[in-house]
Amino acid sequence: MTGWLSVALRSAGAVAELKKDKASGREPQAKKAAAEGEGEIWVVIEHEGADAAPVSWELVGEARALADELGVRAAAVIIGAGEQELARKAFSYGAAASYLAAGPKLGAYSADPHCQALAGLAARHKPQVILLGATTRGRDLASAAATELETGLTADCTELKIDPEKKLLLQTRPAFSGNVMATIITPKRQPQMATVRPGVFPAPEPVAGASGEIIASKPRLKPTNVSVKQLEFIRAPKDEVSLQGAKVIVAGGRGLKAARNFALLEELACELGGAVAASRAAVDAGWISSQRQVGQTGQTVRPVLYFAMGISGAVQHLAGMQASDIVVAVNNDPEAPIFEVADYGIVGDLFEVTPVLTEEVRRRKAEAGADGGLRIEKSARK
Amino acid sequence: MSINSLVCIKQVPDTTQVRIDPETGSLVRKGIPSVANPYDLYALETALSVRDQHGGFITALSMGPPQAEEVLRKALGYGVDRAVLLSDRAFAGADTLATTYALAAAVKKIASGRDAQTGASGIDIIFSGKQSIDGDTGQVGPGMARRLNFSQLTYVCSLIEIDVEARCVEAWRQREDGRELLQAKMPVAVTVTEQCSSIRYAALPDLITAAKKPVEVWSAADLDVDRERLGLRGSPTRVSKIFAPPARKRGETLTAPERSVAEVAALLFDRLAERGLKIGRRGG
Amino acid sequence: MNKGKKETGTAGAAGAAPARFDAIVVGGGPAGLATTFTLARAGVKVACLERGNWSGSKNMMGGVIYSHPTAAVFPEFWREAPLERLVTRRDMWFATTDSTIKASFESTDFGQEPYNSFTVYRARFDKWLAAQAAAAGAWMITETLAEDLLRDGRRVAGVRSGRPQGDLEADVVIIAEGVNPFLTEKAGLASCPPQAPNVALAVKEVLALPTEKIEDRFDLEPGAGAAIEIIGEITGGLPGTGFIYTNRDTISIGVGVLLNSLVDNVTEAYTILDKFKQQPQLRRLIQGASPREYSAHLIPEGGYRCMPQLYGDGVLVAGDAAGMVNPINSEGANLALLSGQMAAETVLACRREGCFDRHALALYQQKLEKSIVIKDLKKYENATPFLASHPQLFGLYPELMAALAREFLTVDSLSKANKEKLLLRLFHSQVPTRRLLKDLYDAWRSLT
Ligand SMILES: Cc1cc2nc3c(=O)[nH]c(=O)nc-3n(C[C@H](O)[C@H](O)[C@H](O)COP(=O)(O)OP(=O)(O)OC[C@H]3O[C@@H](n4cnc5c(N)ncnc54)[C@H](O)[C@@H]3O)c2cc1C
Ligand SMILES: Cc1cc2nc3c(=O)[nH]c(=O)nc-3n(C[C@H](O)[C@H](O)[C@H](O)COP(=O)(O)OP(=O)(O)OC[C@H]3O[C@@H](n4cnc5c(N)ncnc54)[C@H](O)[C@@H]3O)c2cc1C
Ligand SMILES: Nc1ncnc2c1ncn2[C@@H]1O[C@H](COP(=O)(O)O)[C@@H](O)[C@H]1O
């Protein structure tokens, strides 16, 4: 739907109108601005300084597609210290406008000031849709803002569409731990809000030189008695990348035979930019921490790509991973039930197969002359 | 000085058994056992350990049909001081916005101490689970924080310290990329993950006490609320369709007698590339 | 010993937890709940410990309860209790792998108050019984396993649970722990171990089927139910029976076989059940039904010979724990309810005297002797040994009956007279007349 037209329009480079919304928050200007932004599709960019979470760009691409369908603008919302570079980056991914809300209390993320800023912007500019990544932070902010705006919020969407007649956003998401899919609408209130899982939509190709409108503002924050301060941050070691955020998971089971053999999986995971997980048998054997367990009594994961290495595929394990987009199973037993749910089955000794897979990834990377991991070009879901 | 807390507990169906009836396309919930939302038990344990350390009162709060009393009864067994169930047809069909509206109204009533059966005045901390396993949204905890003007601490994986004097809570919060130590001012709404301690083995005297403790049941009339904002009527979202997730099918076996392991590996990544997963540089 | 963890400050209605109880009941099945309810209603401070999440959560029962004994404890229970169907028809099937002879008894009488029997779903029914006991004033303590008995000299003085501060003292303990009489043994009262050949293993599945389909297939009036008992090849020729009970929108189907014939093997019991479900006449009844749950449970079938000592100093045993199951029809809930009630009445009588030693509690035995509980158990004293030693009753005889019926009903070139001759010959070749007569005589002696 994005189509060549939109790309062409964007690259044609409508001249950016750098506009300062000086007296933001005050009535007359607010009205004027509202006319400007009304009906837009917004994406709240999750960022740490100038680094944005990949899901944000995935969403900008999707917002653009939805906006084109509705004939409205897609816009990025950047709440922070005034990160101009992010505003511009948003244009390259398809946003026609960037709302840049800045202020001293907005530099580092904190639910209350950010919620106030977002709700304030939304109240003024009246977008019809606001999308956020379904990350720990995105969910945190979205829940607060939806409450403030007294509107509906659909969590963890895996599909977004526009109802051709009513022009409503059709928000599809798993419920009941993934046993059921539900399509949710917010028929009578605006904005319609949703959080979307990382990796559901492909990140669009950035278009160099794309431009758009930057709408800067300094939100006025109501003084409140609430406060949350960060005292410390401990970055997780690479192998501890949360399973929830991982796009690729390489999981091992009893077939791994010993703790040290998990190194094989780590290598593959590392090459693909993924995380290592395990079956309960491997956890019970003490080969890996219980925080890595996938399944009924462990975590439910939905990566784009799930490798099951030496895992038989007991229902309790399947309960935690069968919502993955693509499952690859390596098992030396051709009768293993895991093959019943695998998109690609490799019958063989994992000790032989895994290193060859890793090698193949390295070879392809070298060929492409880059260090990138796995890139998701389009939705892998069939 | 002590800490008064409130724990939100939801009764949920055992979701591993919930499914769609292939004939009618509707949700089959009948006959499926109900349990306390597992994350809420971590929330309850966190509240109990805060009380062990600082004293104070714990109120357990739930909204749901009459049989949701069971989860509150369970909470009483762990030694919770008071249990309140919001149960009324007017609450039925609530999405997270209408749920937080009702729950927040109940918290206000409990905190106002107007009918302070426990002698509690005010609520310092609200604990809830990081999400419910039926709705899976994680929106209720932060929503309540917003409505009540509490500080908001989500995805807490360990609560380490409460400074009663300074009215501050310090807790580790789980993020995708690591953990952060946060300090929040009370009153605070905390949602906890499964990395917090699991629920204790309740002591027999607590169970005996609980066996006769009443679960208070409140209807909409017991709360200072606008009925238009409750239940289905007060819910901006609607479920327009439910359906079974596409069942996984056995896919392709890549191994074949004539293929070497290297060929199988190459084939796999070719297949993945066909489905949009490419390795290497952008555009490569 | 039993100090509250912390004074929680709850004032008023709830009151403080009692430091000791007048009576403690172990086990929240029909026996334990009958005792608890009866005691609580009489104002006794009684606690009932149940290891399951709730009463009934660990229970399975094929599902027929009789109205008369149940109403003796819980008057007019049918007005409120969660019942599945009012049983108006009882069938007995003799089945081989491909044919069945059906004997059916149906009576409109069954449909009148006080009714005769109902199918119940134990998980719901027991929960209701427990709620009655709680409403009567009992302390219902679930998810709590009684691990041991407390003693004061020889006297049982309470119960030890596995929970923190888990000791509970009482004047008297009523053990109603069901088929695994673990505490009964600890009390030094058990006689037969719960092993082959004294127990049967029952496996059961609950299958969901729409109400209309159930009523249609079983030919039932709305709300009415059928109970079917099945003997024959279906148990793989092992001593045992199969059953089907209709519930509201589910069917309970299962088989029970004497454990010694299975040598402790639950999987094998499931194999039997699977085979059972393949029997064509049965398959028709359950076709298209989706499995809801399955479970396995033991039934004490040792009967009168295996009953433990029923009372000791400060302790009574009731229900399955006391082996009170009528082995002919595996009906234990009746006897459990009645024995539980008599245990309560005994406690009430002893309270008036203020003495719970074994001489005082012997009243329980006397009450049981006078009731149908022991009368019935005595009557069928030899039934289980008889069944165990006559497997032909479960394999050969039903097979022969079916063969006879088939021959007789098949129209072919043989004249009826010739058929009769042929049949008699067939029969005698399989069962020598002497053996048949002896089996019949033994059966008459031990089963009637
Ligand atoms: C209440 C309950 C909850 C549970 N929760 C969970 C849960 O959350 N998560 C979970 O995972 N499990 C859970 N389980 C356990 C589950 O039932 C299985 O036991 C477990 O998943 C088995 O782990 P596995 O597949 O690694 O081991 P196994 O079943 O032993 O399978 C090992 C597999 O490795 C293969 N293999 C061996 N050597 C090689 C080799 N050299 N190359 C290739 N393949 C090889 C074998 O063919 C086999 O298929 C739960 C069980 C219960 C009862
Ligand atoms: C398949 C099957 C079909 C049957 N069909 C019928 C029928 O149709 N009609 C009929 O009348 N009877 C039937 N019975 C028999 C009937 O179920 C039992 O006789 C009856 O349940 C006995 O009641 P009870 O209270 O003695 O024991 P149970 O019902 O077994 O109750 C004992 C309770 O004690 C608890 N418990 C045990 N130990 C401890 C402990 N240490 N601490 C705390 N709690 C403990 C258990 O969890 C349980 O809830 C059937 C049985 C089976 C298995
Ligand atoms: N009806 C309810 N009653 C009490 N607590 C609830 C209810 N719904 C949600 N909660 C609490 O909010 C948390 C998040 O729920 P959810 O937003 O539905 O995923 C749960 O873990 C509970 O602690």
Side-chain angles (χ1 to χ4, degrees), chain A residues 7-85:
Chain A
V7 177
L9 280 176
R10 253 189 292 156
S11 343
V15 179
E17 190 198 342
L18 234 130
K19 205 185 92 192
K20 285 267 175 205
D21 193 2
K22 285 174 233 131
S24 65
R26 267 182 231 142
E27 267 307 294
Q29 282 82 357
K31 262 198 191 129
K32 185 174 152 242
E36 232 169 335
E38 197 157 344
E40 288 176 348
I41 309 239
W42 283 8
V43 175
V44 179
I45 307 298
E46 177 176 335
H47 65 100
E48 201 90 48
D51 281 338
V55 63
S56 301
W57 305 135
E58 295 163 14
L59 289 184
V60 170
E62 178 64 12
R64 175 58 185 253
L66 297 170
D68 286 351
E69 208 173 328
L70 290 167
V72 299
R73 287 204 303 191
V77 176
I78 299 141
I79 303 170
E83 291 80 359
Q84 296 271 348
E85 60 274 51

Side-chain angles (χ1 to χ4, degrees), chain B residues 8-10 37 40 61-63 96 99 103 128-129 131-132 136-141:
Chain B
C8 293
I9 306 181
K10 184 180 187 185
N37 184 36
D40 301 356
L61 174 64
S62 187
M63 180 172 104
T96 54
T99 300
L103 291 178
S128 54
Q131 66 193 51
S132 57
D136 278 327
T137 78
Q139 289 167 188
V140 168

Side-chain angles (χ1 to χ4, degrees), chain C residues 369-411:
Chain C
E369 300 271 1
K370 274 189 254 160
S371 74
I372 64 157
V373 178
I374 292 212
K375 282 188 186 149
D376 278 8
L377 285 168
K378 268 197 180 147
K379 176 165 170 165
Y380 296 122
E381 180 170 15
N382 295 317
T384 300
F386 169 76
L387 297 179
S389 58
H390 292 71
Q392 59 271 35
L393 282 178
F394 301 93
L396 184 59
Y397 288 169
E399 193 72 51
L400 277 172
M401 282 170 69
L404 297 178
R406 178 179 297 115
E407 269 309 318
F408 201 72
L409 297 173
T410 311
V411 175

Side-chain angles (χ1 to χ4, degrees), chain C residues 86-90 104-112 116 224:
Chain C
L86 171 67
V87 177
T88 54
R89 199 175 71 236
R90 306 221 46 162
S104 182
F105 179 75
E106 190 165 2
S107 169
T108 42
D109 219 55
F110 285 177
Q112 250 115 93
N116 179 53

Side-chain angles (χ1 to χ4, degrees), chain B residues 17 19 23 28 30-35 48 51-53 55-57 67 70 74 77-81 117-118 200-214, chain C residues 2-6 8-11 13-18 21 49 53-54 124 127 134 137-145 161-168 249 290 292:
Chain B
Q17 298 187 37
R19 59 196 171 79
E23 272 174 37
V28 182
K30 212 177 150 211
I32 290 169
S34 294
V35 295
L48 290 168
R51 190 183 63 183
D52 290 345
Q53 232 188 326
F57 295 93
Q67 66 266 26
E70 285 166 16
K74 193 171 172 128
Y78 288 107
V80 157
D81 300 284
Q117 184 206 50
T118 58
R200 63 191 56 189
Y201 197 37
L204 191 57
D206 283 338
L207 284 184
I208 292 171
T209 309
K212 294 263 177 134
K213 231 186 224 177
Chain C
N2 181 41
K3 275 175 276 152
K5 184 176 87 176
K6 198 181 293 177
T8 49
T10 339
F21 287 89
L49 305 190
N53 280 336
W54 70 84
R124 284 200 279 271
K127 207 172 178 177
W139 277 258
M140 303 302 300
I141 313 291
T142 54
E143 289 182 82
T144 302
L145 179 75
S161 78
R163 290 194 173 272
Q165 302 164 69
D167 286 359
L168 216 50
D249 54 5
S290 51
R292 192 57 86 63

